[in-house]
Every structure is written in structure tokens, then in C-alpha cells.
Amino acid sequence: MDLRIFTEPQQGADYDTLLTVAKATEDLGFDAFFRSDHYLRMGSGDGLPGPTDAWITLAGLARETRRIRLGTLMTAGTFRLPGVLAIQVAQVDRMSGGRVELGLGAGWFEEEHKAYGIPFPKEKFARLEEQLAIVTGLWATETGRTFSYDGTYYQLTDSPALPKPAQAKVPVLVGGLGAKRTPRLAARYADEFNVPFASLEDSERQFGRVRAAAEEAGRKPDDLVYSNALIVCVGKDDAEVARRAAAVGREVEELKENGLAGSPDEVVEKIGRYAAIGASRIYLQVLDLDDLDHLELISSRVMSQLD
């Protein structure tokens, strides 16, 4: 089971804080550092010092880390034109020496679009399908050849399809709980399918849909990585669990029901249940980015027990 650290910087974190967490992620043996792609805080609070851009952040981290994978859960398709996004991700991949992964979603948080003057189209899912086709098509185009695309929402004519990423294939993540279109998109374009913040039952059902869609598309279902994103709150004892839950404004019992919370052994046991339904990777949503002792505890007492 791969454990990855997943952050939500829109809640209030500058680049220096994210760099500190990313370096701890690397030093403590976690597989990757991922971040959300949002420009507005959710819930109460002021979100100070303000938002950071996902791909600018990852470009910086690409030069200041050496081992960990870097990526997004999920880049909002509404924020970037697909041709520009392909350039950005390829450049950051080269800057990292080939450690980047692209999670790409349709975009959903209307308030942040209004706050920063970003168009919020109705046809977001149809646009996402074209974006996936364009980004992966540009990267797959042989050097020296051109790429053209004539879609409903995007048109590219004789693109040189440059630059190329450092990796021969940048892993692409698709995720969500949609019953039909989402599994079909994952089967066609994804290397990994992610279920965000869902129960064991809902995750198992969605993994099954994606596996069936992969078979229909002529792919082996096991060609995809299946993953979950879950909030994490671990403590050496009940008091420490309660303190960490309070620090992020959550209740312990709710976290235990909906995430990975409790003692290290409790969390290891629940991770095992996600592994039993087919998950081989978990993104640990860490909301208190100043609590590096939390990461150390997860590394030494949770990750050390996992295969």
C-alpha cells in the first residue's frame, strides 16, 4: 500500500509551508506529495495568506525535492486551456526529472470561479473529455509530427506538440463517483482511478464500475491503479487523537467513520479493509500543515506496518 500526503493549501498555506511539508514527506519515506487545485477557502476562516497556484507550487517543489512523486488531486479543467496545461505539466515533469502525475477533473466550486473571474461553463464534463484527449494526445505525438484536434469546445491545428515530458508516459488520474461517464473516461484515459472521501461500500462499487468499463474498452482492469483519498487523524492515545481532530474543527467519531482516525493500529486495520476491496494507494488528506509530528507518527507507526 502506497501512502501519499495530500494537502489543501486553499485553506491557508503559503509556499514555504508547503515546501516544509513536502520535504518532511520525502524525509519520512512517503511515496508522494499532492495538492488540491483551488483558489478559495472552503468553510469558515480567512484563508490567509491567500491561495497558491497548484502548478507554480509543484514547479518549485520539483527543484527542491529529489525522490517523491508530485501531482494534483485534481487540477480543475475550468482553470486552464488543455494545450497550455500540457505544456505546464510537461515542463514541471522535466524540472522534476520525471516525477509528476496529473490528476485532471472537471472543476466544481462555482464560488471560486466567481471570486476570480474564471468562466464556469455548464458543459464541464464534456469539456473534460476533450481536455483529456488533447493533453494525452499532445504528449503521445511523435517528435517531428504535429497534432490537430477538432472538438466541440477546443480546436488545435498543426501543434508541434512540444515540449515532451521527461517520462515516456505521465500518469493520468481520473476520479469521482459518477456511475457511467466517469468510469468510461477512466477506462479510456486514466492510469489511476481515485475515489475521494467515500466509504468502503461506495469505493468498492465504484472500483467495480471502473473495472467493468476497462474490460468494455479492451483494457485489462488491473492495468489501472485504484486509490482512495481519505482524511487522516492519528494519535498515540485518545487525547492526542482528540487534540488533532479539534485542531481541524472535526469530531473524532465522525473522522473514524468517514476517514482514517484513531490509534496507529486502528488506522492500519482500516487501511487493510480498503486494500481488501482493491485499493493499492491512499492519499492522506492532512489539514493541519504545521503538525509535522503527525506525519512522523504516521510514518513510524502506520506506514511501517504496511506492505
Side-chain angles (χ1 to χ4, degrees):
M1 177 69 73
D2 293 334
L3 295 186
R4 296 181 160 190
I5 299 302
F6 170 49
T7 61
E8 302 270 13
Q10 76 277 356
Q11 299 303 99
D14 61 14
Y15 175 75
D16 287 339
T17 298
L18 296 172
L19 174 60
T20 298
V21 175
K23 286 187 171 180
T25 297
E26 186 159 81
D27 292 343
L28 292 169
F30 292 99
D31 182 61
F33 175 94
F34 271 57
R35 60 156 293 164
S36 60
D37 187 22
H38 287 294
Y39 292 136
L40 194 67
R41 181 186 173 101
M42 300 165 198
S44 61
D46 54 25
L48 292 175
T52 52
D53 181 83
W55 286 101
I56 291 176
T57 298
L58 295 176
L61 298 180
R63 305 303 290 179
E64 300 195 73
T65 58
R66 292 292 175 265
R67 178 189 59 79
I68 51 174
R69 308 288 296 177
L70 301 166
T72 51
L73 279 183
M74 298 282 188
T75 290
T78 48
F79 290 173
R80 296 169 178 86
L81 296 171
V84 175
L85 179 61
I87 293 171
Q88 292 172 321
V89 177
Q91 182 178 0
V92 178
D93 191 53
R94 297 186 74 88
M95 291 169 70
S96 73
R99 294 183 286 122
V100 159
E101 303 184 9
L102 171 63
L104 185 57
W108 62 270
F109 190 23
E110 186 173 6
E111 287 80 0
E112 68 187 336
H113 293 74
K114 291 178 178 178
Y116 287 97
I118 302 168
F120 191 69
K122 292 181 179 179
E123 323 83 356
K124 291 182 289 298
F125 199 92
R127 288 174 180 268
L128 173 62
E129 186 163 10
E130 291 194 8
Q131 290 166 332
L132 285 164
I134 291 166
V135 171
T136 58
L138 286 167
W139 291 338
T141 299
E142 183 180 340
T143 301
R145 295 184 177 274
T146 60
F147 176 84
S148 297
Y149 185 87
D150 186 17
T152 302
Y153 306 103
Y154 305 102
Q155 296 80 40
L156 286 73
T157 303
D158 295 334
S159 171
L162 297 172
K164 299 301 185 195
Q167 299 173 88
K169 177 73 171 68
V170 172
V172 172
L173 290 72
V174 171
L177 290 166
K180 296 181 179 179
R181 293 187 298 175
T182 297
R184 178 176 55 80
L185 271 192
R188 185 169 182 183
Y189 295 108
D191 301 283
E192 177 178 338
F193 184 77
N194 180 263
V195 175
F197 311 110
S199 67
L200 284 156
E201 295 75 17
D202 288 343
S203 297
E204 184 173 26
R205 184 180 305 112
Q206 191 68 343
F207 289 162
R209 289 170 178 152
V210 173
R211 296 179 73 89
E215 288 186 343
E216 290 178 13
R219 292 183 67 180
K220 295 180 180 178
D222 288 341
D223 285 348
L224 282 84
V225 172
Y226 298 87
S227 65
N228 287 88
L230 295 163
I231 189 169
V232 65
C233 181
V234 188
K236 294 188 295 290
D237 51 39
D238 290 345
E240 191 167 80
V241 175
R243 175 177 63 78
R244 289 199 163 110
V248 297
R250 303 282 285 269
E251 297 292 331
V252 171
E253 291 308 311
E254 179 266 321
L255 290 174
K256 286 187 176 183
E257 181 178 352
N258 297 314
L260 300 172
S263 69
D265 287 346
E266 286 180 286
V267 170
V268 167
E269 188 275 332
K270 191 163 186 182
I271 288 174
R273 286 191 271 158
Y274 277 94
I277 64 167
S280 61
R281 180 173 292 159
I282 293 181
Y283 294 81
L284 303 173
Q285 184 196 44
V286 177
L287 295 181
D288 185 354
L289 299 183
D290 294 320
D291 187 1
L292 298 183
D293 289 340
H294 193 197
L295 299 187
E296 196 283 327
L297 178 66
I298 297 168
S299 172
S300 63
R301 299 281 300 279
V302 176
M303 188 164 60
S304 63
Q305 297 188 56
L306 303 175
D307 292 332

